[in-house]
């Protein structure tokens, strides 16, 4: 399978003021720190982690909303840093996004027809009004909305309808890669199921590639084919979804899985919940960044950072004692 997008040693550091007014001092915040991954064509790649792990920053780097501090991103074998203005405009037609809060991503002053058609007006300059109208109606039908929605404003839509409009806007240019940032987190459970089934059907019918960012492991298991677990800007485990769910190796991954709610009367959790809070990103711990919360930490973890190493044919983990962690 051909890789659609690749990231190599990707890093994004922000300078954060810490003290002073005239002679201000700064510290680096390593939001993304040395990430390497490959997303295959027609795959559904999931990224999971706690708030502050760097998931959204990674998506912004791929969308070119942020420029990396170091490392590279390649799309269809071409390095994004080599793109000129024209090539960047082409890239924006091939990669689109559905943002976390659909309601805030829709302009309240625009009607649905104008919101969905906006990418066509930006990138399809040779299209007539009739072509734009026809493609807009088709895009709405694709996500299960009728033509009666065209004249409505965002405030006249339900949460599920707003999400469908955002998906229609993302798909109208027929992109190769769609980035979905928490696509169902703001919706009711029944509506979540409808949107997830819609996304799965669209991907199967169109051969799209998804990059899904979420904290919902159950949702990622339903949709994704590959998964990466992030912690403080780094990937600590990555592999085929089935394999990672069957045998999670990193203690952080196992703790996340143990926290999944299961309606079993009298169930006792096999693994304890994570203790403590995520470390201060301005003062990350030396060595492994997870060791202050790890139940199997050793002296090595405090001085040396583990690299992401193969643990199977399609499974990698960054942990010195992964096989010693308690099974959950």
């Amino acid at each position: 399978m051909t890789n659609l997008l690749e990231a190599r040693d990707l890093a994004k550091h922000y300078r954060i003021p810490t003290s002073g007014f005239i002679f201000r001092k700064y510290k680096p915040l390593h939001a993304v720190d040395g990430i390497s991954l490959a997303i295959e064509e027609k795959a559904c790649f999931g990224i999971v982690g706690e708030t502050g792990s760097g998931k959204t920053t990674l998506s912004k780097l791929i969308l070119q909303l942020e420029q990396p501090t170091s490392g590279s991103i390649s799309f269809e074998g071409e390095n994004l840093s080599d793109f000129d203005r024209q090539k960047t405009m082409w890239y924006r037609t091939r990669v689109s996004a559905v943002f976390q809060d659909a309601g805030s991503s829709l302009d309240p002053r625009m009607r649905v027809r104008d919101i969905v058609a906006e990418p066509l007006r930006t990138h399809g300059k040779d299209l007539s009004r009739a072509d734009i109208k026809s493609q807009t109606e088709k895009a709405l039908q694709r996500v299960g909305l009728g033509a009666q929605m065209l004249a409505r404003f965002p405030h006249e839509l339900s949460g599920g309808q707003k999400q469908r409009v955002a998906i229609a806007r993302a798909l109208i240019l027929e992109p190769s890669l769609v980035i979905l940032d928490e696509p169902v987190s703001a919706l009711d459970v029944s509506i979540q199921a409808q949107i997830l089934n819609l996304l799965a059907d669209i991907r199967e019918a169109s051969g799209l590639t998804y990059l899904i960012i979420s904290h919902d492991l159950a949702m990622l298991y339903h949709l994704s084919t590959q998964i990466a677990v992030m912690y403080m800007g780094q990937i600590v485990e990555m592999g085929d979804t089935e394999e990672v769910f069957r045998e999670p190796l990193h203690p952080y991954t196992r703790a996340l899985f143990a926290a999944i709610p299961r309606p079993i009367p009298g169930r006792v959790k096999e693994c304890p919940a994570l203790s403590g809070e995520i470390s201060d990103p301005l003062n990350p711990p030396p060595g492994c960044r997870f060791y202050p919360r790890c139940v199997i930490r050793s002296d090595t973890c405090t001085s040396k950072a583990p690299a992401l190493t193969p643990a199977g044919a399609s499974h990698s983990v960054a942990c010195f004692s992964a096989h010693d962690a308690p099974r959950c």
Side-chain angles (χ1 to χ4, degrees), residues 10-251:
L10 192 63
K12 178 62 181 179
H13 303 163
Y14 297 96
R15 294 178 70 233
I16 306 298
T18 56
S19 62
F21 181 73
I22 298 176
F23 300 103
R24 181 162 290 185
K25 295 182 180 180
Y26 295 85
K27 277 191 174 183
L29 190 155
H30 297 212
V32 172
D33 198 13
I35 282 180
S36 296
L37 57 83
I39 302 175
E40 297 177 347
E41 289 182 349
K42 301 182 181 180
C44 183
F45 196 100
I47 297 179
V48 67
E50 290 176 283
T51 299
S53 60
K55 307 185 302 294
T56 298
T57 301
L58 176 61
S59 70
K60 289 180 178 180
L61 292 171
I62 294 173
L63 288 167
Q64 290 196 308
L65 299 177
E66 297 277 4
Q67 295 302 313
T69 304
S70 61
S72 65
I73 302 174
S74 299
F75 182 78
E76 294 183 351
E78 299 184 73
N79 196 319
L80 298 192
S81 63
D82 297 332
F83 284 6
D84 56 17
R85 179 180 174 80
Q86 183 177 0
K87 196 71 173 179
T88 299
M89 291 293 286
W90 168 83
Y91 178 72
R92 295 193 187 283
T93 67
R94 308 310 304 147
V95 179
S96 62
V98 177
F99 298 101
Q100 181 171 355
D101 186 354
S104 64
S105 72
L106 306 180
D107 191 328
R109 300 166 297 177
M110 296 173 66
R111 297 183 186 273
V112 168
R113 61 170 173 253
D114 298 317
I115 291 171
V116 177
E118 189 174 15
L120 289 177
R121 294 196 175 97
T122 302
H123 298 282
K125 297 180 180 179
D126 297 332
L127 294 175
S128 65
R129 288 187 178 180
D131 290 335
I132 291 176
K133 183 175 182 293
S134 174
Q135 291 191 35
T136 301
E137 291 176 352
K138 289 180 181 178
L140 284 177
Q141 291 173 2
R142 192 177 183 186
V143 297
L145 295 177
Q148 72 274 13
M149 296 290 176
L150 288 168
R152 294 189 183 181
F153 289 96
H155 72 269
E156 299 176 288
L157 306 177
S158 67
Q161 289 171 338
K162 290 176 183 178
Q163 195 73 343
R164 290 173 187 266
V165 169
I167 293 170
R169 179 179 59 185
L171 298 179
I172 197 166
L173 292 176
E174 300 292 340
S176 301
L177 173 65
V178 179
I179 298 175
L180 302 152
D181 189 355
E182 301 282 5
V184 296
S185 63
L187 304 176
D188 294 337
V189 175
S190 60
I191 305 301
Q192 287 182 7
Q194 294 177 21
I195 297 298
L196 291 178
N197 289 333
L198 171 67
L199 291 171
D201 292 342
I202 290 174
R203 175 175 165 263
E204 185 176 351
S206 306
L208 283 172
T209 304
Y210 286 163
L211 173 61
I212 303 182
I213 295 167
S214 180
H215 63 274
D216 188 340
L217 281 162
M219 183 268 285
L220 289 178
Y221 182 74
H222 177 70
L223 276 184
S224 67
T225 56
Q226 295 173 293
I227 190 170
V229 181
M230 286 188 66
Y231 187 80
M232 291 194 68
Q234 299 175 338
I235 292 177
V236 297
E237 187 163 359
M238 181 167 58
D240 288 347
T241 301
E242 289 285 347
E243 187 172 346
V244 173
F245 269 74
R246 183 175 64 252
E247 189 178 5
L249 296 176
H250 198 281

